[in-house]
Amino acid sequence: MQSNRQADNRPMRRLGPRPLPLHLSLALASWSNSALILPGFNLVWQNLKEQEAQSGRPDRAASANHPPLPIPPSLKEMLAELGPQLDAADPAALAQALTEEGHRRLDAFLTGVLAYRRTDSSPTERTRAVLWSEGSTRLLDYRRKTASAENRIAPRVLVVPSLVNRYQILDLDPSISFLDYLAEAGFHPFVVDWDAPGSLERDFTLSDYIAGRLCRALDIVRQQEGGPIIVIGYCMGGLLALAASQLYRAGNDPAAKDLAGLALLATPWDFHAEAVGHARMVAALGRQLEPALQILDELPVDLLQVFFALLDPFLVTRKFQNFAALDRQDPTGSAAAGRFVALEDWLNDGVPLVTRVASECLINWYGDNTTMRGGWRVAGTAIDPKQLSIPCLAMVPSSDRIVPPGSALALGRLLPNCRIETPAAGHIGMMVGARAKTAIWPQIASWMRDVAGGP
């Protein structure tokens, strides 16, 4: 993760929230001139009142000064509540109040950003043994030392994160580490660390990552002492894990029977199941960016962050306003601030996608929905969930904004032998949220024990 120290050990300011110009521009445009919206708001309110007055009166023509406006039902509800208050308010006083509130919110956001960027804390360094590496990819060992008999029967678990975020969300700090939890629960966990692509990965496709790197990592896990192998994929990592599992099981190697199960955590499949407009917008932007991607050889992190920001443009401003309000003198507030900083450090330390992989994801997955339509091929093989008969688990967070529940549910329903769980959590919350360790991870561990045939 990004270092928070310069070479001379002085604290350095963090990069986030990335892309900072986007979030600053949005905050300034939204709050620095809040009162400017009043004339437009009043015009729509007056138009709505005229429409309501004319309803059931076909003999009354619409006002020439205020022709009927198409007003969405949700806006009508808001206008019905706020409109009468607008009529009763003093215009000058209301404009002044809006301006002051806009400045207050802008100040809270900027205060939160500055507090985050100036926080004097370094990411927790958690070194793990490297079992295998190739190019920028490493396989890290999170096993605990146990008795020999336990080593022989403990299920081996390969955890596959996304290509666009570092694996540390699975090991954020000692108090909230999914990988440590698996080890403490009696499993032998291993995790793929993709890292940022280097010179060897510049021309990679998804096939190179999956049929090449991921399947070879699976071979290394198979060589380790232990019981049945279970693969866990998180977010985009679930798609990689699904494809690798299908390729692995389809091979002629008798050892493929060691692959006992596949758990998919917040894994998309039907990219047009919900928010199809957003998916097509992502694809359109991807097509427009293709000339730049060819020059840069990658989709930079800040552009990737723009795609995530479009899901909820005001999420970042809300988060940093809340961060500014934390009482760091109080133990609870201090702990919350520490967790916020650790999570934001991870979010802002993303990984770029090489050009060919970016095109496959943005244009093929989001634009053409090749996964759901049966057109996604890896190393020449059509990836078809219906062909994977091993026990599977689909964890579909009910409040997921990054992977809409409908997208992940589509995958779970296609897998022939799949248990579907819909925990009350968000996309990131299922990994680091308050209920993750007590309510969500135990469900995953219980399913894995059932699959492995253990106690």
Side-chain angles (χ1 to χ4, degrees), residues 306-321:
V306 169
F307 290 120
F308 288 118
L310 291 175
L311 292 167
D312 186 351
F314 288 96
L315 174 61
V316 167
T317 54
R318 292 196 302 270
K319 286 195 305 181
F320 280 87
Q321 286 174 327

Side-chain angles (χ1 to χ4, degrees), residues 285-364:
L285 290 173
R287 292 187 180 94
Q288 292 175 355
L289 288 170
E290 280 194 293
L293 297 183
Q294 296 299 325
I295 295 172
L296 297 172
D297 276 343
E298 66 181 24
L299 179 61
V301 174
D302 283 313
L303 281 176
L304 276 166
Q305 295 284 46
V306 169
F307 290 120
F308 288 118
L310 291 175
L311 292 167
D312 186 351
F314 288 96
L315 174 61
V316 167
T317 54
R318 292 196 302 270
K319 286 195 305 181
F320 280 87
Q321 286 174 327
N322 293 335
F323 179 62
L326 289 175
D327 181 2
R328 292 164 184 76
Q329 303 304 315
D330 175 76
T332 301
S334 177
R339 181 66 56 82
F340 178 91
V341 169
L343 184 55
E344 287 301 311
D345 282 350
W346 172 77
L347 285 169
N348 291 295
D349 190 29
V351 177
L353 284 179
V354 293
T355 296
R356 296 172 73 183
V357 170
S359 294
E360 288 183 77
C361 297
L362 300 180
I363 297 173
N364 296 350

Side-chain angles (χ1 to χ4, degrees), residues 87 123 150 180 191 214 257-258 289 293 320 436 442:
D87 289 338
E150 294 176 356
D180 280 349
V191 66
L214 186 51
K257 68 179 186 303
D258 289 344
L289 288 170
L293 297 183
F320 280 87

Side-chain angles (χ1 to χ4, degrees), residues 368-416:
D368 299 333
N369 202 17
T370 51
T371 47
M372 188 66 183
R373 293 174 57 233
W376 182 35
R377 304 183 77 86
V378 174
T381 298
I383 303 306
D384 181 3
K386 295 190 293 294
Q387 302 301 315
L388 194 62
S389 59
I390 60 174
C392 295
L393 171 68
M395 297 293 286
V396 183
S398 60
S399 302
D400 198 333
R401 293 191 177 187
I402 295 175
V403 175
S407 178
L409 284 170
L411 178 55
R413 290 164 180 161
L414 287 172
L415 290 160

Side-chain angles (χ1 to χ4, degrees), residues 4-240:
N4 194 41
R5 291 277 172 179
Q6 298 184 29
D8 59 2
N9 207 39
R10 286 183 294 114
M12 64 184 298
R13 293 187 179 183
R14 290 171 162 81
L15 296 175
R18 299 173 72 180
L20 187 58
L22 172 67
H23 299 303
L24 286 175
S25 299
L26 180 63
L28 286 167
S30 302
W31 296 323
S32 62
N33 294 298
S34 298
L36 294 180
I37 198 175
L38 275 177
F41 188 89
N42 188 61
L43 175 63
V44 176
W45 167 235
Q46 297 304 322
N47 194 281
L48 177 61
K49 288 196 294 184
E50 287 190 12
Q51 290 183 38
E52 291 178 344
Q54 293 158 12
S55 61
R57 297 282 302 277
D59 56 310
R60 291 189 59 180
S63 167
N65 294 328
H66 301 111
L69 297 174
I71 304 174
S74 59
L75 182 57
K76 286 184 178 181
E77 293 178 8
M78 183 186 71
L79 286 167
E81 180 179 352
L82 297 180
Q85 299 177 50
L86 180 64
D87 289 338
D90 174 76
L94 179 58
Q96 180 64 27
L98 279 173
T99 299
E100 292 175 356
E101 177 62 16
H103 290 170
R104 186 194 66 78
R105 295 189 183 189
L106 180 60
D107 179 72
F109 170 63
L110 295 176
T111 298
V113 169
L114 289 174
Y116 165 68
R117 289 165 69 90
R118 292 171 176 169
T119 297
D120 184 13
S121 65
S122 299
T124 303
E125 296 294 337
R126 295 173 54 83
T127 58
R128 297 291 175 171
V130 179
L131 287 181
W132 164 85
S133 66
E134 185 177 317
S136 64
T137 307
R138 305 185 303 166
L139 181 66
L140 305 183
D141 186 353
Y142 272 77
R143 288 177 292 184
R144 297 284 174 89
K145 291 183 178 180
T146 56
S148 179
E150 294 176 356
N151 277 334
R152 287 194 294 271
I153 65 172
R156 293 161 287 179
V157 182
L158 176 62
V159 184
V160 185
S162 169
L163 286 172
V164 299
N165 289 113
R166 299 186 187 274
Y167 83 91
Q168 281 89 348
I169 190 63
L170 307 168
D171 184 29
L172 194 64
D173 64 48
S175 69
I176 188 76
S177 170
F178 179 60
L179 294 168
D180 280 349
Y181 174 86
L182 293 178
E184 292 166 0
F187 300 96
H188 284 338
F190 309 87
V191 66
V192 177
D193 175 13
W194 298 113
D195 204 357
S199 57
L200 290 178
E201 293 80 27
R202 282 298 157 190
D203 291 326
F204 264 29
T205 64
L206 285 171
S207 291
D208 294 304
Y209 276 113
I210 298 168
R213 297 281 173 84
L214 186 51
C215 283
R216 285 195 283 278
L218 194 50
D219 283 335
I220 300 299
V221 171
R222 196 188 71 199
Q223 295 168 18
Q224 307 305 304
E225 187 177 43
I229 296 174
I230 298 170
V231 178
I232 298 178
Y234 175 47
C235 189
M236 178 189 185
L239 287 167
L240 310 183

